[in-house]
Amino acid sequence: MQTIIKKTDVNDIDMEVIEQASDILKAGGMVAFPTETVYGLGADALDEKASAKIYEAKGRPSDNPLIVHVADTKQLEPLVKNIPDTARKLMDKFWPGPMTLIFEKSDIVPSGTTGGLATVAIRMPNHPVALSLISNSGVAIAAPSANTSGRPSPTTAQHVETDLDGRIDMIIDGGAVGIGIESTIVDVTVNPPMILRPGYITNKMLEDVVGNVEVDKAILGKMSPDVKPKAPGMKYKHYAPKAELTMFRGERQAVATHINDISRQAESEGKKVGVIASDETFSMYEWGNVVSIGTRNDDDSIARNLYAVLRKFDDMNVDVIYSETFDDDGLGQAIMNRMLKAAGYNVLQV
Ligand code: TXA
Ligand code: MG
């Protein structure tokens, strides 16, 4: 399959591009498009055959449900059995935005889209291209992140092209995304609501709107095999770079000294080394290919660069990656959740 790649300015949307993409979606095809979090791989959520193509293109396990993207509340209503009060409050505050809510699904949502679950994940993205595509096509768009399953999520159209060129109908290139990590997933079918995946909307932001919010214990650390995360996707080794990633926790100078020692050692064995530092620590490193992931004074910068840094080390074909750890409060919780998963929870204290 030849993948059509079309650019559009985010602030001056090319409606011809949106029309072409809408036609593809309406005919049961697949279009990758930018959202404010990461690029999504979209297909008609109510067409089981169309959503099945997504699993195939990504190599995604069929028990891992898709998030359905809507452009307004009217489009949400027929997809769900009911809209709980907590959901309304959260929608009023955070939609459109980087928050996905889990509802009881209505009968029109095929179980192929929801991985066989009786619930459906729904999000209203805050991105002009995504919103324009959803409303122009009239299609509720099922869209997982537009990466090959298991690889870091795509934050640019080039990342999508690397993974999926020739496997999907179209990519809309709307430039680099703003946030860089996926939406916060909140289950509003339970009381109190439960966070199934940390994201840009933090626990504190949610609690300010609806009071007490719980966190699925399975996402807080390395899982024992008998604990099943409530978001099926969280059980997979996700977000992984090709090289083995190890993280080091401890006082900054001690971490840098240790990473320098093991990097020098690895290089002397002929290995290509990648080091993930921050703006504050970048100059402390003397060995390996050192990349700053952003500044510790601004977690947003770290979130925005995270997946691109992992992909860069893939492109460079490094053999090992050594990384600092980051504070895990606020947005840091989502950052460390993704990094620890990428590292297979391989984190050492120095
Ligand atoms: O920011 C995002 O959410 C991006 C953009 C494209 O919108 N999408 C995204 O989709 O991250 P994906 O497929 O990569 O991750 C969806 C997650 C998976 O962990 C999946 O298991 C979970 O959502 N999920 C989907 N439906 C669910 C449901 N009914 N119950 C529990 N978890 C669900
Ligand atoms: Mg994903």
Side-chain angles (χ1 to χ4, degrees):
M1 170 190 303
Q2 169 90 31
T3 302
I4 304 160
I5 303 176
K6 289 275 170 77
K7 270 194 201 287
T8 180
D9 190 327
V10 172
N11 300 311
D12 179 18
I13 294 180
D14 183 340
M15 286 313 289
E16 266 177 42
V17 173
I18 298 294
E19 274 302 334
Q20 189 175 9
S22 299
D23 288 344
I24 292 171
L25 289 175
K26 286 187 278 190
M30 284 180 287
V31 177
F33 60 96
T35 80
E36 78 279 33
T37 57
V38 300
Y39 271 73
L41 174 58
D44 184 346
L46 302 185
D47 175 348
E48 201 152 19
K49 285 206 194 101
S51 54
K53 290 183 189 165
I54 292 179
Y55 289 90
E56 161 133 33
K58 281 184 57 106
R60 181 180 177 103
S62 63
D63 69 343
N64 190 4
L66 308 175
I67 295 175
V68 180
H69 295 67
V70 298
D72 52 51
T73 328
K74 264 229 293 303
Q75 203 180 11
L76 161 74
E77 280 161 7
L79 306 176
V80 302
K81 280 218 169 107
N82 56 60
I83 303 177
D85 276 350
T86 46
R88 288 210 187 271
K89 287 185 192 148
L90 292 171
M91 287 155 56
D92 284 348
K93 178 77 181 178
F94 298 116
W95 274 6
M99 177 189 71
T100 295
L101 297 178
I102 307 291
F103 297 91
E104 310 275 350
K105 82 170 189 70
S106 73
D107 293 341
I108 64 166
V109 182
S111 66
T113 300
T114 64
L117 297 177
T119 52
V120 60
I122 304 203
R123 173 162 116 79
M124 191 187 293
N126 186 16
H127 192 287
V129 172
L131 289 171
S132 167
L133 181 62
I134 301 163
S135 44
N136 189 267
S137 63
V139 171
I141 304 180
S145 49
N147 50 290
T148 300
S149 201
R151 294 214 63 208
S153 295
T155 54
T156 66
Q158 288 70 39
H159 295 163
V160 181
E161 194 182 344
T162 304
D163 282 14
L164 298 175
D165 190 31
R167 304 176 69 86
I168 62 177
D169 299 288
M170 182 171 181
I171 301 171
I172 305 179
D173 181 352
V177 302
I179 290 179
I181 54 176
E182 304 86 345
S183 61
T184 307
I185 303 181
V186 187
D187 185 351
V188 287
T189 67
V190 291
N191 222 331
M194 186 180 277
I195 299 175
L196 307 189
R197 177 176 73 182
Y200 192 75
I201 306 291
T202 63
N203 305 13
K204 165 101 181 28
M205 289 158 79
L206 296 167
E207 287 189 334
D208 284 348
V209 179
V210 292
N212 187 29
V213 170
E214 290 189 343
V215 180
D216 183 4
K217 298 220 168 30
I219 63 176
L220 292 176
K222 189 171 179 153
M223 280 173 277
S224 67
D226 50 315
V227 184
K228 264 207 190 141
K230 295 186 171 58
M234 298 300 281
K235 72 174 175 282
Y236 297 105
K237 188 186 173 191
H238 241 165
Y239 319 116
K242 291 178 193 156
E244 191 182 1
L245 166 62
T246 309
M247 303 189 77
F248 297 91
R249 191 170 263 147
E251 187 272 318
R252 275 183 207 177
Q253 184 59 59
V255 167
T257 303
H258 184 73
I259 290 181
N260 277 329
D261 285 349
I262 56 175
S263 299
R264 187 186 51 215
Q265 175 67 29
E267 288 198 334
S268 75
E269 291 164 7
K271 288 186 184 152
K272 197 165 179 184
V273 177
V275 175
I276 301 179
S278 50
D279 289 358
E280 289 74 16
T281 57
F282 184 80
S283 63
M284 295 178 177
Y285 294 94
E286 294 157 26
W287 306 88
N289 302 279
V290 186
V291 172
S292 173
I293 196 169
T295 165
R296 287 171 178 276
N297 298 326
D298 176 18
D299 281 347
D300 286 23
S301 70
I302 298 175
R304 201 156 46 232
N305 295 327
L306 173 59
Y307 291 132
V309 167
L310 297 179
R311 280 179 178 265
K312 179 174 171 160
F313 284 140
D314 281 353
D315 293 344
M316 291 170 71
N317 274 312
V318 301
D319 299 299
V320 286
I321 305 170
Y322 302 129
S323 176
E324 300 175 354
T325 50
F326 299 90
D327 291 340
D328 59 5
D329 57 335
L331 178 55
Q333 189 185 33
I335 292 168
M336 282 302 290
N337 169 268
R338 306 303 194 275
M339 291 193 86
L340 285 169
K341 281 182 64 134
Y345 297 94
N346 196 3
V347 50
L348 304 174
Q349 181 76 37
V350 295

Short mmCIF file of all heavy atoms in Angstrom, two decimals, residues 33 35-41 58 60 63-67 69 98 100 102-103 113-114 117-121 123 125 143-147 153 181-185 196-197 230-234 238-239, ligand 1:
data_model
loop_
_atom_site.label_atom_id
_atom_site.label_comp_id
_atom_site.label_asym_id
_atom_site.label_seq_id
_atom_site.Cartn_x
_atom_site.Cartn_y
_atom_site.Cartn_z
N PHE A 33 -2.87 10.91 12.39
CA PHE A 33 -3.08 12.36 12.53
C PHE A 33 -2.49 12.84 13.87
O PHE A 33 -2.39 12.06 14.82
CB PHE A 33 -4.59 12.69 12.46
CG PHE A 33 -5.41 12.02 13.51
CD1 PHE A 33 -5.75 12.68 14.69
CD2 PHE A 33 -5.84 10.70 13.36
CE1 PHE A 33 -6.50 12.05 15.69
CE2 PHE A 33 -6.59 10.07 14.35
CZ PHE A 33 -6.92 10.74 15.52
N THR A 35 -2.39 14.64 17.47
CA THR A 35 -3.21 15.15 18.58
C THR A 35 -2.24 15.94 19.47
O THR A 35 -1.05 16.00 19.18
CB THR A 35 -3.87 14.03 19.42
OG1 THR A 35 -2.91 13.49 20.33
CG2 THR A 35 -4.44 12.92 18.55
N GLU A 36 -2.74 16.54 20.53
CA GLU A 36 -1.85 17.32 21.40
C GLU A 36 -0.91 16.42 22.21
O GLU A 36 0.10 16.89 22.73
CB GLU A 36 -2.65 18.24 22.31
CG GLU A 36 -3.30 17.58 23.53
CD GLU A 36 -4.61 16.86 23.20
OE1 GLU A 36 -4.78 16.31 22.09
OE2 GLU A 36 -5.49 16.84 24.10
N THR A 37 -1.24 15.10 22.34
CA THR A 37 -0.40 14.21 23.15
C THR A 37 0.65 13.51 22.29
O THR A 37 1.84 13.76 22.42
CB THR A 37 -1.26 13.16 23.88
OG1 THR A 37 -2.02 12.44 22.90
CG2 THR A 37 -2.18 13.81 24.90
N VAL A 38 0.18 12.64 21.41
CA VAL A 38 1.05 11.92 20.46
C VAL A 38 0.25 11.75 19.17
O VAL A 38 -0.97 12.01 19.16
CB VAL A 38 1.47 10.52 21.01
CG1 VAL A 38 2.25 10.65 22.32
CG2 VAL A 38 0.27 9.59 21.21
N TYR A 39 0.88 11.31 18.10
CA TYR A 39 0.14 11.01 16.87
C TYR A 39 -0.72 9.76 17.08
O TYR A 39 -0.31 8.81 17.73
CB TYR A 39 1.09 10.78 15.69
CG TYR A 39 1.44 12.06 14.95
CD1 TYR A 39 2.29 13.00 15.52
CD2 TYR A 39 0.91 12.33 13.69
CE1 TYR A 39 2.60 14.18 14.85
CE2 TYR A 39 1.22 13.51 13.00
CZ TYR A 39 2.05 14.42 13.60
OH TYR A 39 2.35 15.60 12.93
N GLY A 40 -1.94 9.80 16.51
CA GLY A 40 -2.83 8.65 16.60
C GLY A 40 -2.99 7.99 15.24
O GLY A 40 -2.83 8.64 14.20
N LEU A 41 -3.31 6.68 15.26
CA LEU A 41 -3.60 5.96 14.02
C LEU A 41 -5.10 5.71 13.99
O LEU A 41 -5.61 4.87 14.72
CB LEU A 41 -2.83 4.64 13.95
CG LEU A 41 -3.19 3.74 12.76
CD1 LEU A 41 -2.96 4.46 11.43
CD2 LEU A 41 -2.41 2.44 12.80
N LYS A 58 -0.39 -2.16 13.35
CA LYS A 58 0.50 -1.91 14.49
C LYS A 58 1.14 -3.18 15.04
O LYS A 58 2.08 -3.11 15.83
CB LYS A 58 -0.30 -1.28 15.65
CG LYS A 58 -0.59 0.18 15.52
CD LYS A 58 -1.31 0.70 16.78
CE LYS A 58 -0.58 0.47 18.08
NZ LYS A 58 0.03 1.64 18.69
N ARG A 60 -0.64 -5.08 17.02
CA ARG A 60 -1.12 -4.89 18.40
C ARG A 60 -1.92 -6.10 18.86
O ARG A 60 -2.76 -6.61 18.12
CB ARG A 60 -2.01 -3.64 18.42
CG ARG A 60 -2.60 -3.24 19.78
CD ARG A 60 -3.44 -1.99 19.56
NE ARG A 60 -4.14 -1.49 20.71
CZ ARG A 60 -3.75 -0.44 21.44
NH1 ARG A 60 -2.60 0.15 21.17
NH2 ARG A 60 -4.48 0.00 22.45
N ASP A 63 -6.39 -8.04 22.46
CA ASP A 63 -7.11 -7.78 23.73
C ASP A 63 -6.82 -6.37 24.26
O ASP A 63 -7.22 -6.02 25.35
CB ASP A 63 -6.72 -8.81 24.80
CG ASP A 63 -5.28 -8.65 25.27
OD1 ASP A 63 -4.48 -7.97 24.58
OD2 ASP A 63 -4.94 -9.20 26.33
N ASN A 64 -6.10 -5.57 23.47
CA ASN A 64 -5.74 -4.23 23.93
C ASN A 64 -6.64 -3.18 23.27
O ASN A 64 -6.46 -2.85 22.11
CB ASN A 64 -4.27 -3.96 23.63
CG ASN A 64 -3.77 -2.69 24.30
OD1 ASN A 64 -4.51 -2.05 25.06
ND2 ASN A 64 -2.53 -2.33 24.02
N PRO A 65 -7.65 -2.68 24.00
CA PRO A 65 -8.68 -1.84 23.39
C PRO A 65 -8.19 -0.48 22.91
O PRO A 65 -7.16 0.01 23.33
CB PRO A 65 -9.69 -1.66 24.52
CG PRO A 65 -8.94 -1.91 25.77
CD PRO A 65 -7.85 -2.87 25.44
N LEU A 66 -8.98 0.11 22.01
CA LEU A 66 -8.61 1.39 21.39
C LEU A 66 -9.35 2.55 22.07
O LEU A 66 -10.44 2.36 22.63
CB LEU A 66 -9.00 1.36 19.91
CG LEU A 66 -8.47 0.16 19.13
CD1 LEU A 66 -9.04 0.18 17.70
CD2 LEU A 66 -6.95 0.16 19.09
N ILE A 67 -8.77 3.74 22.01
CA ILE A 67 -9.46 4.94 22.51
C ILE A 67 -10.26 5.55 21.35
O ILE A 67 -9.75 5.70 20.24
CB ILE A 67 -8.44 5.96 23.05
CG1 ILE A 67 -7.72 5.40 24.28
CG2 ILE A 67 -9.14 7.28 23.40
CD1 ILE A 67 -6.60 6.28 24.81
N HIS A 69 -12.05 8.71 19.66
CA HIS A 69 -11.92 10.17 19.71
C HIS A 69 -13.16 10.85 19.16
O HIS A 69 -13.61 10.51 18.06
CB HIS A 69 -10.68 10.59 18.91
CG HIS A 69 -9.39 10.09 19.51
ND1 HIS A 69 -9.08 8.75 19.54
CD2 HIS A 69 -8.36 10.73 20.11
CE1 HIS A 69 -7.89 8.60 20.13
NE2 HIS A 69 -7.43 9.79 20.48
N PRO A 98 -6.03 16.35 27.21
CA PRO A 98 -5.31 15.07 27.30
C PRO A 98 -5.83 14.15 28.40
O PRO A 98 -5.08 13.68 29.24
CB PRO A 98 -3.86 15.50 27.57
CG PRO A 98 -4.00 16.81 28.29
CD PRO A 98 -5.23 17.47 27.74
N THR A 100 -8.58 10.78 28.94
CA THR A 100 -9.47 9.76 28.37
C THR A 100 -10.33 9.22 29.50
O THR A 100 -9.83 8.95 30.58
CB THR A 100 -8.61 8.62 27.78
OG1 THR A 100 -7.86 9.14 26.68
CG2 THR A 100 -9.47 7.47 27.30
N ILE A 102 -13.21 6.29 30.82
CA ILE A 102 -13.77 4.97 30.56
C ILE A 102 -15.24 4.96 30.96
O ILE A 102 -15.58 5.28 32.10
CB ILE A 102 -13.04 3.88 31.39
CG1 ILE A 102 -11.52 3.93 31.19
CG2 ILE A 102 -13.61 2.49 31.09
CD1 ILE A 102 -11.04 3.53 29.84
N PHE A 103 -16.10 4.62 29.99
CA PHE A 103 -17.55 4.55 30.21
C PHE A 103 -18.05 3.12 29.95
O PHE A 103 -17.36 2.34 29.28
CB PHE A 103 -18.29 5.45 29.20
CG PHE A 103 -17.99 6.92 29.32
CD1 PHE A 103 -16.94 7.49 28.59
CD2 PHE A 103 -18.75 7.74 30.14
CE1 PHE A 103 -16.68 8.85 28.68
CE2 PHE A 103 -18.50 9.10 30.23
CZ PHE A 103 -17.46 9.66 29.51
N THR A 113 -13.50 -3.06 18.80
CA THR A 113 -12.88 -1.78 19.14
C THR A 113 -12.45 -1.74 20.60
O THR A 113 -11.49 -1.07 20.96
CB THR A 113 -13.87 -0.63 18.84
OG1 THR A 113 -14.18 -0.66 17.44
CG2 THR A 113 -13.30 0.73 19.18
N THR A 114 -13.18 -2.47 21.46
CA THR A 114 -12.93 -2.38 22.90
C THR A 114 -12.21 -3.62 23.45
O THR A 114 -12.21 -3.86 24.65
CB THR A 114 -14.25 -2.19 23.69
OG1 THR A 114 -15.06 -3.36 23.51
CG2 THR A 114 -15.01 -0.97 23.21
N LEU A 117 -14.10 -5.79 25.86
CA LEU A 117 -14.59 -5.25 27.13
C LEU A 117 -16.00 -4.65 26.98
O LEU A 117 -16.40 -4.26 25.88
CB LEU A 117 -13.65 -4.16 27.65
CG LEU A 117 -12.22 -4.58 28.00
CD1 LEU A 117 -11.39 -3.37 28.42
CD2 LEU A 117 -12.22 -5.63 29.11
N ALA A 118 -16.71 -4.55 28.10
CA ALA A 118 -18.05 -3.93 28.11
C ALA A 118 -17.94 -2.42 28.28
O ALA A 118 -18.95 -1.71 28.34
CB ALA A 118 -18.88 -4.53 29.22
N THR A 119 -16.70 -1.92 28.40
CA THR A 119 -16.48 -0.49 28.56
C THR A 119 -15.79 0.06 27.31
O THR A 119 -15.25 -0.70 26.50
CB THR A 119 -15.58 -0.22 29.77
OG1 THR A 119 -14.40 -1.02 29.66
CG2 THR A 119 -16.30 -0.53 31.08
N VAL A 120 -15.84 1.40 27.18
CA VAL A 120 -15.17 2.05 26.04
C VAL A 120 -14.42 3.28 26.54
O VAL A 120 -14.91 4.01 27.41
CB VAL A 120 -16.19 2.40 24.92
CG1 VAL A 120 -17.27 3.36 25.42
CG2 VAL A 120 -15.47 3.00 23.70
N ALA A 121 -13.22 3.47 26.01
CA ALA A 121 -12.39 4.63 26.36
C ALA A 121 -12.67 5.75 25.36
O ALA A 121 -12.66 5.51 24.15
CB ALA A 121 -10.91 4.22 26.31
N ARG A 123 -12.06 10.02 24.29
CA ARG A 123 -11.29 11.25 24.51
C ARG A 123 -11.67 12.29 23.47
O ARG A 123 -11.93 11.96 22.32
CB ARG A 123 -9.80 10.89 24.37
CG ARG A 123 -8.86 12.07 24.41
CD ARG A 123 -7.46 11.57 24.72
NE ARG A 123 -6.51 11.80 23.63
CZ ARG A 123 -5.93 12.99 23.39
NH1 ARG A 123 -6.21 14.03 24.12
NH2 ARG A 123 -5.06 13.11 22.39
N PRO A 125 -9.78 15.19 21.84
CA PRO A 125 -8.43 15.75 21.79
C PRO A 125 -8.44 17.26 21.60
O PRO A 125 -9.36 17.81 21.00
CB PRO A 125 -7.80 15.05 20.58
CG PRO A 125 -8.96 14.68 19.71
CD PRO A 125 -10.13 14.45 20.62
N ALA A 143 -8.39 5.48 17.80
CA ALA A 143 -6.99 5.80 17.50
C ALA A 143 -6.05 5.49 18.65
O ALA A 143 -6.03 6.20 19.65
CB ALA A 143 -6.86 7.27 17.12
N PRO A 144 -5.27 4.42 18.49
CA PRO A 144 -4.16 4.21 19.40
C PRO A 144 -3.00 5.09 18.94
O PRO A 144 -3.08 5.73 17.89
CB PRO A 144 -3.83 2.74 19.19
CG PRO A 144 -4.16 2.49 17.76
CD PRO A 144 -5.33 3.41 17.44
N SER A 145 -1.96 5.15 19.73
CA SER A 145 -0.76 5.85 19.28
C SER A 145 -0.28 5.20 17.98
O SER A 145 -0.36 3.99 17.82
CB SER A 145 0.31 5.78 20.36
OG SER A 145 0.48 4.46 20.84
N ALA A 146 0.24 6.04 17.06
CA ALA A 146 0.54 5.57 15.70
C ALA A 146 1.97 5.01 15.57
O ALA A 146 2.70 5.37 14.65
CB ALA A 146 0.31 6.70 14.70
N ASN A 147 2.32 4.13 16.50
CA ASN A 147 3.62 3.46 16.45
C ASN A 147 3.41 1.98 16.22
O ASN A 147 2.31 1.47 16.45
CB ASN A 147 4.35 3.66 17.80
CG ASN A 147 3.45 3.29 18.99
OD1 ASN A 147 2.50 4.01 19.28
ND2 ASN A 147 3.74 2.17 19.62
N SER A 153 6.01 5.88 21.43
CA SER A 153 4.93 6.57 20.72
C SER A 153 5.50 7.68 19.83
O SER A 153 6.53 8.25 20.13
CB SER A 153 3.94 7.17 21.71
OG SER A 153 3.31 6.16 22.43
N ILE A 181 3.50 12.95 25.76
CA ILE A 181 3.12 11.65 26.33
C ILE A 181 1.61 11.52 26.31
O ILE A 181 0.89 12.51 26.27
CB ILE A 181 3.66 11.38 27.75
CG1 ILE A 181 3.28 12.50 28.69
CG2 ILE A 181 5.16 11.19 27.76
CD1 ILE A 181 3.71 12.20 30.11
N GLU A 182 1.14 10.26 26.34
CA GLU A 182 -0.27 9.98 26.11
C GLU A 182 -1.16 10.53 27.23
O GLU A 182 -0.70 10.80 28.33
CB GLU A 182 -0.49 8.46 25.98
CG GLU A 182 0.34 7.80 24.91
CD GLU A 182 1.72 7.39 25.42
OE1 GLU A 182 2.15 7.87 26.48
OE2 GLU A 182 2.37 6.58 24.73
N SER A 183 -2.46 10.56 26.92
CA SER A 183 -3.46 11.10 27.84
C SER A 183 -3.53 10.32 29.15
O SER A 183 -3.19 9.14 29.20
CB SER A 183 -4.83 11.06 27.16
OG SER A 183 -5.19 9.72 26.84
N THR A 184 -4.01 11.00 30.17
CA THR A 184 -4.35 10.36 31.45
C THR A 184 -5.63 9.57 31.23
O THR A 184 -6.58 10.09 30.65
CB THR A 184 -4.61 11.44 32.51
OG1 THR A 184 -3.50 12.33 32.55
CG2 THR A 184 -4.85 10.82 33.89
N ILE A 185 -5.66 8.29 31.66
CA ILE A 185 -6.89 7.51 31.53
C ILE A 185 -7.57 7.41 32.89
O ILE A 185 -6.94 6.98 33.87
CB ILE A 185 -6.61 6.09 30.98
CG1 ILE A 185 -5.90 6.19 29.63
CG2 ILE A 185 -7.90 5.29 30.87
CD1 ILE A 185 -5.59 4.83 28.99
N LEU A 196 -6.10 4.89 35.45
CA LEU A 196 -5.57 3.64 34.92
C LEU A 196 -4.24 3.86 34.20
O LEU A 196 -3.50 2.91 33.95
CB LEU A 196 -6.55 3.00 33.94
CG LEU A 196 -7.99 2.78 34.43
CD1 LEU A 196 -8.76 1.94 33.43
CD2 LEU A 196 -8.00 2.12 35.80
N ARG A 197 -3.98 5.10 33.79
CA ARG A 197 -2.68 5.44 33.18
C ARG A 197 -2.39 6.89 33.51
O ARG A 197 -3.21 7.76 33.19
CB ARG A 197 -2.74 5.24 31.65
CG ARG A 197 -1.44 5.64 30.94
CD ARG A 197 -1.47 5.36 29.44
NE ARG A 197 -2.32 6.29 28.71
CZ ARG A 197 -2.53 6.23 27.40
NH1 ARG A 197 -1.97 5.27 26.67
NH2 ARG A 197 -3.31 7.12 26.80
N LYS A 230 -5.83 -2.50 35.03
CA LYS A 230 -7.19 -2.39 34.50
C LYS A 230 -7.20 -1.86 33.07
O LYS A 230 -8.15 -2.06 32.33
CB LYS A 230 -8.04 -1.54 35.43
CG LYS A 230 -8.20 -2.24 36.77
CD LYS A 230 -9.16 -1.50 37.69
CE LYS A 230 -9.49 -2.31 38.93
NZ LYS A 230 -8.30 -2.66 39.73
N ALA A 231 -6.15 -1.13 32.67
CA ALA A 231 -5.99 -0.78 31.25
C ALA A 231 -5.11 -1.88 30.64
O ALA A 231 -3.93 -1.96 30.94
CB ALA A 231 -5.34 0.58 31.09
N PRO A 232 -5.71 -2.73 29.80
CA PRO A 232 -4.96 -3.90 29.31
C PRO A 232 -3.60 -3.53 28.71
O PRO A 232 -2.63 -4.28 28.85
CB PRO A 232 -5.89 -4.48 28.25
CG PRO A 232 -7.27 -4.05 28.68
CD PRO A 232 -7.10 -2.70 29.29
N GLY A 233 -3.52 -2.36 28.08
CA GLY A 233 -2.27 -1.97 27.42
C GLY A 233 -1.12 -1.78 28.39
O GLY A 233 0.04 -1.85 28.00
N MET A 234 -1.42 -1.52 29.66
CA MET A 234 -0.36 -1.23 30.61
C MET A 234 0.44 -2.47 30.99
O MET A 234 1.45 -2.37 31.66
CB MET A 234 -0.92 -0.55 31.87
CG MET A 234 -1.59 0.80 31.62
SD MET A 234 -0.49 2.04 30.88
CE MET A 234 0.44 2.56 32.32
N HIS A 238 6.09 -1.59 26.93
CA HIS A 238 5.74 -0.56 25.97
C HIS A 238 6.89 0.39 25.80
O HIS A 238 7.84 0.35 26.55
CB HIS A 238 4.60 0.23 26.59
CG HIS A 238 3.35 0.19 25.80
ND1 HIS A 238 2.16 0.58 26.31
CD2 HIS A 238 3.10 -0.19 24.53
CE1 HIS A 238 1.22 0.44 25.42
NE2 HIS A 238 1.76 -0.03 24.32
N TYR A 239 6.74 1.32 24.90
CA TYR A 239 7.59 2.50 24.88
C TYR A 239 9.06 2.11 24.83
O TYR A 239 9.92 2.86 25.28
CB TYR A 239 7.36 3.37 26.14
CG TYR A 239 5.92 3.49 26.55
CD1 TYR A 239 5.47 2.98 27.76
CD2 TYR A 239 5.02 4.12 25.71
CE1 TYR A 239 4.14 3.10 28.13
CE2 TYR A 239 3.68 4.24 26.07
CZ TYR A 239 3.25 3.73 27.28
OH TYR A 239 1.95 3.83 27.64
O1 TXA B 1 -3.05 10.38 24.22
C1 TXA B 1 -3.58 9.32 23.89
O2 TXA B 1 -4.38 8.72 24.64
C2 TXA B 1 -3.23 8.74 22.52
C3 TXA B 1 -3.75 9.69 21.45
C4 TXA B 1 -3.56 9.15 20.06
O3 TXA B 1 -5.08 10.00 21.71
N1 TXA B 1 -3.74 7.41 22.37
C5 TXA B 1 -3.23 6.35 23.01
O4 TXA B 1 -3.81 5.14 22.66
O5 TXA B 1 -2.33 6.42 23.82
P1 TXA B 1 -3.12 3.72 22.97
O6 TXA B 1 -3.94 2.74 22.24
O7 TXA B 1 -1.70 3.77 22.66
O8 TXA B 1 -3.40 3.49 24.49
C6 TXA B 1 -4.70 3.21 24.91
C7 TXA B 1 -4.71 2.69 26.32
C8 TXA B 1 -4.24 1.25 26.40
O9 TXA B 1 -3.41 1.08 27.55
C9 TXA B 1 -5.57 0.51 26.56
O10 TXA B 1 -5.41 -0.71 27.21
C10 TXA B 1 -6.39 1.51 27.35
O11 TXA B 1 -6.05 2.74 26.79
N2 TXA B 1 -7.83 1.30 27.18
C11 TXA B 1 -8.56 1.48 26.05
N3 TXA B 1 -9.86 1.15 26.26
C12 TXA B 1 -9.95 0.77 27.55
C13 TXA B 1 -11.03 0.31 28.39
N4 TXA B 1 -12.25 0.16 27.91
N5 TXA B 1 -10.74 0.00 29.68
C14 TXA B 1 -9.48 0.15 30.16
N6 TXA B 1 -8.43 0.58 29.42
C15 TXA B 1 -8.66 0.87 28.15
#
